[in-house]
Amino acid sequence: MLNFCYRKCNDFFIYSKKTFLNYVLGAFVIAIVVSTIMSPNITIALNGQYNRSDGAISWLCYVALMFIAMNIEYPKNVVRYIMYAMMPFVY
């Protein structure tokens, strides 16, 4: 099972784009994990507080969504349709 996970992660990182922003996101993830481990209260660091702040789990999910959105190849016409759909929110 561990070998399967290693191979899938390795394939994912080989075929993803190698951009500067991906390395910055990786450094940000490392900083989140280290700050969570070094926290005096790990439960609050992981979950956050009610109505106050996001925890490490939320931040890691945000980073994962951004990483996926950055590495998807979108066709040009889809990008144009999204831009036209967002026009009413600009004006």
Side-chain angles (χ1 to χ4, degrees), residues 15 40 47 73 82:
Y15 295 117
N47 300 325
E73 292 291 331
I82 291 173

Side-chain angles (χ1 to χ4, degrees), residues 7-20:
R7 283 188 287 138
K8 288 301 177 184
C9 289
N10 194 18
D11 290 343
F12 177 73
F13 288 116
I14 287 173
Y15 295 117
S16 66
K17 297 178 191 174
K18 305 290 190 280
T19 62
F20 177 72

